[in-house]
mmCIF file of all heavy atoms in Angstrom:
data_model
loop_
_atom_site.group_PDB
_atom_site.id
_atom_site.type_symbol
_atom_site.label_atom_id
_atom_site.label_comp_id
_atom_site.label_asym_id
_atom_site.label_seq_id
_atom_site.Cartn_x
_atom_site.Cartn_y
_atom_site.Cartn_z
ATOM 1 N N GLU B 252 6.114 -59.889 45.796
ATOM 2 C CA GLU B 252 6.073 -58.430 45.976
ATOM 3 C C GLU B 252 7.336 -57.720 45.503
ATOM 4 O O GLU B 252 7.336 -56.502 45.321
ATOM 5 C CB GLU B 252 5.763 -58.089 47.436
ATOM 6 C CG GLU B 252 6.718 -58.696 48.420
ATOM 7 C CD GLU B 252 6.233 -58.536 49.855
ATOM 8 O OE1 GLU B 252 5.046 -58.211 50.066
ATOM 9 O OE2 GLU B 252 7.052 -58.735 50.746
ATOM 10 N N GLN B 253 8.413 -58.505 45.274
ATOM 11 C CA GLN B 253 9.607 -57.884 44.682
ATOM 12 C C GLN B 253 9.560 -57.927 43.157
ATOM 13 O O GLN B 253 10.475 -57.455 42.480
ATOM 14 C CB GLN B 253 10.856 -58.626 45.143
ATOM 15 C CG GLN B 253 11.148 -58.498 46.617
ATOM 16 C CD GLN B 253 12.344 -59.358 47.001
ATOM 17 O OE1 GLN B 253 13.410 -59.279 46.395
ATOM 18 N NE2 GLN B 253 12.170 -60.198 48.004
ATOM 19 N N GLY B 254 8.542 -58.553 42.642
ATOM 20 C CA GLY B 254 8.399 -58.638 41.184
ATOM 21 C C GLY B 254 9.076 -59.868 40.609
ATOM 22 O O GLY B 254 9.280 -59.961 39.399
ATOM 23 N N ARG B 255 9.399 -60.856 41.464
ATOM 24 C CA ARG B 255 10.071 -62.061 40.961
ATOM 25 C C ARG B 255 9.035 -63.040 40.405
ATOM 26 O O ARG B 255 8.030 -63.327 41.073
ATOM 27 C CB ARG B 255 10.881 -62.718 42.087
ATOM 28 C CG ARG B 255 12.026 -61.836 42.558
ATOM 29 C CD ARG B 255 12.820 -62.478 43.668
ATOM 30 N NE ARG B 255 12.009 -62.752 44.846
ATOM 31 C CZ ARG B 255 12.485 -63.320 45.956
ATOM 32 N NH1 ARG B 255 13.746 -63.673 46.002
ATOM 33 N NH2 ARG B 255 11.705 -63.542 46.998
ATOM 34 N N TYR B 256 9.335 -63.531 39.224
ATOM 35 C CA TYR B 256 8.434 -64.461 38.546
ATOM 36 C C TYR B 256 8.372 -65.773 39.314
ATOM 37 O O TYR B 256 9.398 -66.300 39.741
ATOM 38 C CB TYR B 256 8.958 -64.668 37.122
ATOM 39 C CG TYR B 256 8.217 -65.670 36.291
ATOM 40 C CD1 TYR B 256 6.853 -65.548 36.075
ATOM 41 C CD2 TYR B 256 8.887 -66.730 35.683
ATOM 42 C CE1 TYR B 256 6.181 -66.471 35.298
ATOM 43 C CE2 TYR B 256 8.218 -67.655 34.899
ATOM 44 C CZ TYR B 256 6.857 -67.514 34.708
ATOM 45 O OH TYR B 256 6.196 -68.426 33.932
ATOM 46 N N LEU B 257 7.146 -66.311 39.475
ATOM 47 C CA LEU B 257 6.988 -67.501 40.298
ATOM 48 C C LEU B 257 6.710 -68.771 39.489
ATOM 49 O O LEU B 257 6.225 -69.764 40.021
ATOM 50 C CB LEU B 257 5.873 -67.275 41.333
ATOM 51 C CG LEU B 257 6.138 -66.131 42.316
ATOM 52 C CD1 LEU B 257 4.985 -65.966 43.287
ATOM 53 C CD2 LEU B 257 7.424 -66.359 43.098
ATOM 54 N N GLY B 258 6.963 -68.712 38.202
ATOM 55 C CA GLY B 258 6.924 -69.937 37.396
ATOM 56 C C GLY B 258 5.586 -70.305 36.799
ATOM 57 O O GLY B 258 5.492 -71.274 36.064
ATOM 58 N N ASN B 259 4.531 -69.555 37.099
ATOM 59 C CA ASN B 259 3.231 -69.897 36.523
ATOM 60 C C ASN B 259 2.834 -68.818 35.513
ATOM 61 O O ASN B 259 2.350 -67.749 35.879
ATOM 62 C CB ASN B 259 2.182 -69.998 37.634
ATOM 63 C CG ASN B 259 0.866 -70.552 37.119
ATOM 64 O OD1 ASN B 259 0.520 -70.375 35.954
ATOM 65 N ND2 ASN B 259 0.125 -71.230 37.988
ATOM 66 N N ILE B 260 3.032 -69.130 34.235
ATOM 67 C CA ILE B 260 2.798 -68.114 33.191
ATOM 68 C C ILE B 260 1.313 -67.759 33.077
ATOM 69 O O ILE B 260 0.939 -66.636 32.729
ATOM 70 C CB ILE B 260 3.384 -68.574 31.831
ATOM 71 C CG1 ILE B 260 3.482 -67.397 30.842
ATOM 72 C CG2 ILE B 260 2.586 -69.689 31.218
ATOM 73 C CD1 ILE B 260 4.564 -66.432 31.139
ATOM 74 N N TRP B 261 0.453 -68.728 33.401
ATOM 75 C CA TRP B 261 -0.994 -68.454 33.307
ATOM 76 C C TRP B 261 -1.405 -67.379 34.327
ATOM 77 O O TRP B 261 -2.212 -66.514 34.029
ATOM 78 C CB TRP B 261 -1.791 -69.745 33.501
ATOM 79 C CG TRP B 261 -3.276 -69.516 33.472
ATOM 80 C CD1 TRP B 261 -4.175 -69.731 34.458
ATOM 81 C CD2 TRP B 261 -4.046 -68.983 32.376
ATOM 82 N NE1 TRP B 261 -5.434 -69.385 34.072
ATOM 83 C CE2 TRP B 261 -5.397 -68.924 32.790
ATOM 84 C CE3 TRP B 261 -3.718 -68.549 31.073
ATOM 85 C CZ2 TRP B 261 -6.413 -68.452 31.964
ATOM 86 C CZ3 TRP B 261 -4.745 -68.075 30.246
ATOM 87 C CH2 TRP B 261 -6.058 -68.033 30.701
ATOM 88 N N HIS B 262 -0.810 -67.419 35.508
ATOM 89 C CA HIS B 262 -1.118 -66.387 36.501
ATOM 90 C C HIS B 262 -0.688 -65.009 36.004
ATOM 91 O O HIS B 262 -1.366 -64.015 36.246
ATOM 92 C CB HIS B 262 -0.401 -66.697 37.830
ATOM 93 C CG HIS B 262 -1.106 -67.737 38.630
ATOM 94 N ND1 HIS B 262 -0.686 -68.136 39.880
ATOM 95 C CD2 HIS B 262 -2.210 -68.475 38.372
ATOM 96 C CE1 HIS B 262 -1.501 -69.066 40.348
ATOM 97 N NE2 HIS B 262 -2.427 -69.288 39.452
ATOM 98 N N VAL B 263 0.440 -64.967 35.311
ATOM 99 C CA VAL B 263 0.952 -63.688 34.801
ATOM 100 C C VAL B 263 0.010 -63.133 33.718
ATOM 101 O O VAL B 263 -0.227 -61.926 33.638
ATOM 102 C CB VAL B 263 2.388 -63.879 34.240
ATOM 103 C CG1 VAL B 263 2.853 -62.630 33.530
ATOM 104 C CG2 VAL B 263 3.341 -64.246 35.352
#
Side-chain angles (χ1 to χ4, degrees):
Chain B
E252 56 190 15
Q253 293 176 52
R255 295 180 300 180
Y256 176 56
L257 298 179
N259 189 331
I260 195 73
W261 178 242
H262 281 183
V263 172

